[in-house]
Amino acid sequence: MLLTHATLATMTGGYGLIPDAAVALEGARIAWAGPMADLPAPYRALPGHDCSGRLVTPGLIDCHTHAVHAGHRAVEFELRLKGASYEDIARAGGGILSTVTATRAASEDRLLTSALPRVDQLIAGGTTTVEVKSGYGLTVEDELKMLRAARRIADQRPVSVRTTHLAAHAIPPEYKGRATAYMAEVAIPSLRAARAEGLVDAVDAFCETIAFSTADLAPLFAEASALGLPVKLHAEQLTDQGGAAFAARHGALSADHLEYLSPDGTAAMAAAGTVAVILPGAFYTLRETQAPPVAALRAAGVPMAVATDLNPGSSPLASLTLAMNMACTLFRLTPEEALLGVTRHAARALGLTDRGRIAPGLRADLCLWDADHPAELAYRIGATPLHHRIFGGRLDA
Ligand code: DI6
Ligand code: FE
C-alpha cells in the first residue's frame, strides 16, 4: 500500500514533520517514507490511498494499563466524593482489594470478554500497541489467569499486547502484615510460572506506603534479573519512597506516576536512561495537587511517556488523546512532548525498538487523523479525530 499526500509526523527528532509526504508499506513493515517528490519509482505502482493532507502519525502506544480486571469501582468514586481518600479506602480493605475479590471470582474467559470493550475504546482512539498488567489476582493461579486473558486480547483484536507481571501490586488479606512471605510464596513463584509459560514481557510493582517498600521488592527485582526480564515501577505516586532511584539502579525501562519524585530520583533516572511514564488520569481522578516535576525531567533529559493507566480505581480512562490533553493542561507538557509520549517514548518504556516512529523497517502501525497539525491531538478535549488506523500494514475495516 502507498499513502500519498500525507502530513507526516514521523516522530524522529520532535514531530519530524514532512508536508505532502508518501509512505510505502510492504507487508507489515514500512518500506519508505518521505516527500512525495522523492518517492522512488518502484513504489509508485503500489495501490494508493490518498490522505488529502491529513495528519499521519505512528500508531499510538498505551504503555501502562490495567485493562484486564473484573467489576468496577463507581461506588468508591461516590465514597471519595463524600470525603474518603484513596488511601482510607485501601486501608479499609476496599480499593485495589475489592477489584481483587471480583477478579479472583471471574473466569479467564470472563476477564477477556470484559476487557475487550475497553480495548475497543483504545483502538477507536488510535492505539495499536497496549501494555496490560496483572495485579488483581494476587495468587499464583489468578495472576496467571490475568496474564493469559491479556495475551488472548491479541487473538481477538488487531492490536499488539505486551504483558507485565504485577503480582506486587497489593498485599492480599491473607498476607496482611507479611509482605516478605507474600513475595516468597506468591509474587516470585507466579513470576517464575508466568515466565515458564511465556506470558510475561516485564515485571512491575507498586512501591508505596499502602503497598511495598523497596526492601520488600529487592528479591522480586533480583528474580526478574535472573529470569532476564526488564523491570518497571509504580513509583512516587502518593509519597516519596525512593522508588524511582531503586528502579533506576535495576536498569528499569520506566518509572511511572512520579508526582513525588525527588531531584535524586530524577538524576538516577537520567543516568540509567529510565523513561518517566506520566499518568495524568490518576492525578485527575484522585484530585492530587502535586504534579510530577516535568520541568526537572525535561532539563535532565529524561524521556517522558504518557499513558492512560486504564484501571477501575484511580484512572477509569480509555482515551490516549485525552491523557495527552491532561498531560499538557495539568502538567505543562508541550503537545509535541505529549505525542512523543504516546509514540516514540512509549515504545521505549516497553523496550520496543520496532515501532513508535515512522521509518523504513519499522512496523506499519499508523494513524490517519482528521487533523492537519499534530498539536490538534492534544488540544481537543475528549475528541477522537481518528480517520483510519493501519495495524501491521492493514487498514482497519
Ligand atoms: N497505581 C495506580 O494508579 C493503579 N495501581 C497502582 O499501583 C490503581 C489501581 C487501582 O486502584 O485499582
Ligand atoms: Fe498503574
Side-chain angles (χ1 to χ4, degrees):
M1 192 192 335
L2 180 69
L3 302 180
T4 59
H5 302 293
T7 301
L8 207 59
T10 61
M11 308 316 289
T12 46
Y15 286 138
L17 268 186
I18 308 177
D20 202 31
V23 187
L25 311 180
E26 278 182 336
R29 301 275 148 184
I30 296 166
W32 188 88
M36 285 285 289
D38 299 348
L39 181 66
Y43 299 124
R44 288 191 195 142
L46 288 174
H49 179 100
D50 187 343
C51 298
S52 309
R54 284 192 182 87
L55 174 69
V56 175
T57 68
L60 305 189
I61 299 171
D62 196 343
C63 69
H64 182 140
T65 88
H66 308 251
V68 168
H69 59 261
H72 64 78
R73 307 238 291 276
V75 171
E76 185 182 311
F77 177 60
E78 282 194 319
L79 286 175
R80 283 203 311 275
L81 281 161
K82 288 176 182 158
S85 76
Y86 184 74
E87 288 103 318
D88 292 340
I89 293 167
R91 284 195 199 95
I96 292 176
L97 292 180
S98 68
T99 301
V100 170
T101 304
T103 301
R104 285 178 176 179
S107 67
E108 182 186 318
D109 285 349
R110 180 75 201 120
L111 286 180
L112 173 62
T113 52
S114 69
L116 290 177
R118 295 188 276 270
V119 172
D120 286 339
Q121 262 184 282
L122 293 175
I123 288 173
T127 296
T128 51
T129 297
V130 61
E131 184 257 18
V132 181
K133 302 176 192 295
S134 67
Y136 293 119
L138 313 187
T139 68
V140 173
E141 258 321 302
D142 291 310
E143 287 294 301
L144 293 173
K145 177 177 74 178
M146 287 189 72
L147 292 168
R148 291 183 195 121
R151 282 283 167 107
R152 285 171 60 197
I153 292 168
D155 304 332
Q156 303 282 324
R157 294 294 188 269
V159 70
S160 296
V161 174
R162 303 293 288 179
T163 48
T164 300
H165 173 271
L166 178 61
H169 193 196
I171 300 172
E174 62 274 20
Y175 282 94
K176 196 167 178 175
R178 296 192 298 131
T180 308
Y182 177 76
M183 282 294 151
E185 293 167 23
V186 178
I188 290 173
S190 63
L191 176 58
R192 287 196 187 123
R195 174 64 163 160
E197 211 178 304
L199 288 174
V200 57
D201 299 310
V203 180
D204 194 354
F206 188 20
C207 182
E208 193 53 65
T209 53
I210 54 170
F212 299 93
S213 67
T214 56
D216 295 333
L217 295 173
L220 179 70
F221 276 19
E223 184 66 26
S225 152
L227 294 171
L229 290 168
V231 296
K232 317 167 126 299
L233 193 64
H234 284 69
E236 274 75 273
Q237 180 185 5
L238 306 168
T239 57
D240 179 11
Q241 299 295 313
F246 168 76
R249 280 200 298 281
H250 288 80
L253 288 174
S254 70
D256 304 36
H257 287 288
L258 303 173
E259 278 79 351
Y260 289 83
L261 181 66
S262 68
D264 283 354
T266 305
M269 288 177 68
T274 297
V275 176
V277 179
I278 301 296
L279 302 168
F283 173 92
Y284 167 87
T285 300
L286 301 181
R287 301 183 74 238
E288 294 291 320
T289 50
Q290 180 160 327
V294 163
L297 289 165
R298 184 185 290 132
V302 175
M304 291 180 277
V306 174
T308 60
D309 196 14
L310 171 53
N311 76 65
S314 66
S315 191
L317 167 65
S319 166
L320 261 181
T321 46
L322 183 52
M324 291 165 69
N325 173 267
M326 290 176 170
C328 293
T329 300
L330 300 175
F331 297 158
R332 314 313 288 162
L333 266 74
T334 67
E336 183 177 73
E337 287 170 333
L339 190 55
L340 283 164
V342 296
T343 55
R344 184 182 184 145
H345 295 157
R348 180 163 162 179
L350 296 177
L352 297 172
T353 54
D354 65 346
R355 66 196 75 183
R357 291 172 292 127
I358 297 177
L362 299 194
R363 274 186 63 88
D365 293 345
L366 301 168
C367 290
L368 281 55
W369 302 96
D370 284 317
D372 55 33
H373 192 281
E376 283 184 68
L377 299 183
Y379 151 75
R380 296 184 195 284
I381 305 172
T384 306
L386 187 69
H387 181 67
H388 279 307
R389 204 189 62 129
I390 295 174
F391 176 71
R394 284 166 184 257
L395 198 67
D396 283 350

